[in-house]
């Protein structure tokens, strides 16, 4: 029996194509298949323990309830507080709205904040914030630390620091494996 983990799938004509985590194991399985033999594939969703991202959203939901604001607003406020998750960009004044629409269409945490006039006439500077899906393990850890701090201020119970650290490390490992799998695709 062969078990292969995957995160993406698509249909090409009548073929189910999977983006597998372990390409050598998948290649070996295909190589060892016997012609004329019928195979059965069982596909099930992998159940995982609470991930760093899921826990962050759980806590943000509790914060939203305590503060009486939408969870999305809590998330966006935290993105703005991160500190090392944005680029400063100079744009022509007439291009700001188009850039903002395009940037913010990438996701909830992709925020454009006007900073003011640029030294060149007709230009302005904006801070373009990246959503948390782009964060490395250090940034994800900082985001969770911010969330935990906010929760403590509101009297919301959180996991112990060692459990939070383990979650961030697990999240980082999964992200690295996914990035490697995608990078190795033709």
């Amino acid at each position: 029996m062969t078990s292969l983990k995957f995160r993406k799938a698509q249909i090409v004509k009548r073929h189910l194509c999977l983006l597998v985590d372990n390409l050598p194991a998948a290649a070996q399985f295909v190589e060892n298949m016997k012609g004329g033999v019928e195979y059965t594939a069982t596909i099930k969703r992998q159940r995982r323990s609470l991930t760093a991202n899921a826990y962050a959203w759980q806590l943000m939901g509790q914060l939203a309830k305590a503060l009486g604001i939408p969870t999305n607003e809590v998330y966006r406020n935290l993105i703005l507080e991160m500190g090392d998750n944005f680029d400063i960009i100079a744009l022509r004044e007439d291009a700001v709205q188009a850039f903002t629409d395009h940037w913010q269409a990438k996701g909830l945490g992709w925020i454009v904040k006007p900073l003011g006039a640029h030294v060149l006439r007709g230009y302005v500077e904006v801070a373009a914030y990246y959503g948390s899906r782009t964060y490395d393990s250090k940034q994800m850890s900082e985001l969770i630390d911010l969330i935990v701090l906010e929760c403590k201020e509101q009297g919301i119970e959180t996991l112990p620091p060692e459990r939070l650290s383990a979650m961030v490390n697990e999240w980082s490992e999964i992200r690295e494996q996914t990035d490697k799998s995608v990078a190795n695709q033709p």
Side-chain angles (χ1 to χ4, degrees):
M1 183 174 143
T2 301
S3 178
L4 299 169
K5 293 183 179 182
F6 65 95
R7 287 184 175 73
K8 266 180 105 173
Q10 69 180 35
I11 300 291
V12 177
K13 296 191 180 181
R14 292 181 47 212
H15 298 274
L16 173 61
C17 300
L18 307 175
L19 178 61
V20 295
D21 291 343
N22 188 340
L23 185 58
Q28 183 177 7
F29 172 77
V30 171
E31 187 176 303
N32 292 335
M33 287 179 68
K34 299 187 183 342
V37 175
E38 187 173 291
Y39 292 84
T40 300
T42 302
I43 299 174
K44 64 181 182 175
R45 182 173 177 223
Q46 181 70 32
R47 300 271 181 220
R48 271 192 274 176
S49 61
L50 194 60
T51 65
N53 190 54
Y55 185 61
W57 280 99
Q58 179 184 346
L59 289 179
M60 286 186 285
Q62 291 177 33
L63 270 172
K65 185 176 180 181
L67 298 170
I69 61 175
T71 305
N72 290 350
E73 189 175 327
V74 170
Y75 173 66
R76 289 174 63 86
N77 289 338
L78 289 162
I79 292 295
L80 293 171
E81 287 183 40
M82 280 291 294
D84 66 344
N85 59 335
F86 64 91
D87 289 323
I88 305 285
I89 302 170
L91 299 168
R92 282 191 343 251
E93 289 175 349
D94 63 344
V96 172
Q97 190 58 54
F99 174 81
T100 300
D101 293 345
H102 179 74
W103 188 263
Q104 292 184 166
K106 295 178 184 215
L108 184 61
W110 297 72
I111 302 166
V112 175
K113 188 175 178 183
L115 298 176
H118 188 268
V119 294
L120 295 173
R121 186 186 350 244
Y123 282 77
V124 295
E125 289 184 338
V126 299
Y129 290 82
Y130 294 89
S132 61
R133 76 168 170 246
T134 67
Y135 289 6
D136 59 24
S137 57
K138 179 179 178 283
Q139 290 172 309
M140 189 64 174
S141 180
E142 289 170 3
L143 177 61
I144 289 176
D145 288 346
L146 270 174
I147 296 167
V148 167
L149 182 64
E150 294 285 333
C151 285
K152 287 181 178 177
E153 288 177 8
Q154 296 299 320
I156 298 169
E157 191 173 324
T158 62
L159 292 174
E162 62 275 2
R163 180 63 184 118
L164 291 172
S165 180
M167 261 195 262
V168 170
N169 290 338
E170 178 184 319
W171 172 86
S172 179
E173 289 170 12
I174 290 168
R175 187 161 185 263
E176 285 175 17
Q177 289 172 356
T178 303
D179 290 348
K180 285 178 187 174
S181 295
V182 170
N184 290 331
Q185 294 305 307

